Amino acid sequence: TSPKIKVDYDQTTGVAVMHMQSPPVNSLGLDFLTELCISLEKLEMDKGCRGLIITSNQPKVFSAGLDILEMYGKSPEHCGEFWKVVQEMWLKLYGSNMVTIAAISGSSPAGGCLLSLTCDYRIMADNPRYTIGLNETQLGIVAPFWFKETMVNTVGHRNTEVALQLGLLYKPAEALKIGLVDQLVPEDQVFTVATQTMTKWLTIPEHARQITKSMMRNPTIDKLRTNREADIQNFVSFITKESIQKSLRMYMEMLKQRKA
Ligand code: CO8
């Protein structure tokens, strides 16, 4: 199988770019996330690699979020294995020593939004057709505490409370207003601006920036790190419930109908 992520690493700038290229919508499945974690580990170990830009090679979509098919009609063992790698992705990215920038070139619901929220800075294409947000409740599921805290750490308690209860998907202008993204740029400039922004971030003394980042993020990271197993159990018992499986099925049918 061809790689779901293309990594370009420029040794002269110390910046790596991850292009997500898993058609049609970069959904985050077990294989995708495993590949992501392996790539991240390699980059993190390379002391010369100081910055990471995450973007999408798929038109109109950054990432459709977690692959619903990994959570629908699967055994508890499979769901547990899947959830573990979702945790791993989050732990690695939210705690990364690198400067991380999300170049959000399209829609970014649920897990796609989470992926971008793990980054240090978010630049989104200014196209009102695109949306971003943690829309879990719309699928009848509940964003776990570490999704919630990542959002609170970004946009504050009140914005998060409204967004999560209603499962809001924001247009770029609204996302910018609450601080869910940091900057909007014309569609064809997302990557260029991400690269320029990276250059600026990389001028800050490395060690000071890294310690500051972990000071901001470690309380949240530690909470998951010390509760991983319980969080997996929670997820598995929730997602395998018949009523939840039914919600997922209805949601997938809605996606198909919307298309027709
Ligand atoms: N997983 C699996 N398949 C997906 C997903 C997904 N997340 N998203 C889209 N697909 C499929 C579609 O069903 C469709 O399949 P097919 O071609 O067989 O009909 C195909 O991908 C293409 O999708 P669209 O035709 O809808 O493509 P568009 O370009 O029109 O739209 C969007 C792209 C905007 C991304 C749209 O597909 C969409 O809104 N997708 C759903 C996004 C979503 O709601 N994701 C939520 C996933 S759940 C999650 O990430 C966090 C879960 C936390 C778990 C907590 C539990 C306790």
Side-chain angles (χ1 to χ4, degrees), residues 1-221:
T1 53
S2 55
K4 296 176 190 298
I5 301 164
K6 183 162 80 76
V7 182
D8 291 331
Y9 174 39
D10 182 340
Q11 283 185 323
T12 57
T13 58
V15 177
V17 182
M18 279 187 176
H19 302 268
M20 299 186 281
Q21 47 176 24
S22 183
V25 291
N26 288 330
S27 65
L28 310 172
L30 188 57
D31 293 346
F32 183 103
L33 290 168
T34 304
E35 200 178 309
L36 182 72
C37 288
I38 292 171
S39 301
L40 268 175
E41 207 155 298
K42 280 190 197 147
L43 297 173
E44 203 76 57
M45 270 165 24
D46 186 332
K47 288 290 161 262
C49 184
R50 302 170 58 223
L52 171 66
I53 296 172
I54 302 178
T55 192
S56 162
N57 272 355
Q58 302 308 125
K60 299 185 298 185
V61 183
F62 179 71
S63 164
L66 302 189
D67 187 341
I68 297 167
L69 296 171
E70 300 280 14
M71 308 182 271
Y72 178 72
K74 293 286 193 290
S75 69
E77 291 71 30
H78 181 92
C79 292
E81 195 192 343
F82 175 58
W83 197 246
K84 195 170 174 188
V85 72
V86 177
Q87 291 178 336
E88 194 64 35
M89 176 269 295
W90 180 85
L91 287 167
K92 282 199 157 63
L93 274 176
Y94 204 52
S96 173
N97 271 323
M98 296 181 279
V99 172
T100 52
I101 295 180
I104 309 168
S105 46
S107 284
S108 200
C113 177
L114 181 77
L115 176 62
S116 74
L117 284 173
T118 64
C119 292
D120 296 306
Y121 198 81
R122 279 160 292 289
I123 296 159
M124 188 171 185
D126 193 3
N127 181 335
R129 274 192 246 252
Y130 301 155
T131 60
I132 182 168
L134 295 179
N135 59 321
E136 277 78 357
T137 55
Q138 289 199 36
L139 288 75
I141 58 181
V142 180
F145 77 89
W146 41 285
F147 284 48
K148 177 265 293 176
E149 281 196 25
T150 308
M151 179 101 168
V152 169
N153 294 347
T154 312
V155 301
H157 195 281
R158 179 60 188 157
N159 284 325
T160 303
E161 180 167 6
V162 176
L164 289 195
Q165 286 200 48
L166 298 177
L168 292 181
L169 287 170
Y170 296 89
K171 289 180 181 184
E174 303 161 339
L176 179 68
K177 208 155 123 198
I178 66 163
L180 189 58
V181 298
D182 298 296
Q183 198 176 342
L184 301 183
V185 299
E187 194 145 7
D188 58 353
Q189 287 168 37
V190 174
F191 188 70
T192 316
V193 174
T195 308
Q196 290 161 354
T197 308
M198 180 60 78
T199 307
K200 242 190 315 183
W201 278 66
L202 289 178
T203 61
I204 304 300
E206 181 108 320
H207 195 54
R209 188 196 54 76
Q210 286 170 347
I211 292 173
T212 304
K213 179 171 177 175
S214 32
M215 179 174 67
M216 297 300 294
R217 296 185 174 195
N218 274 358
T220 303
I221 290 172

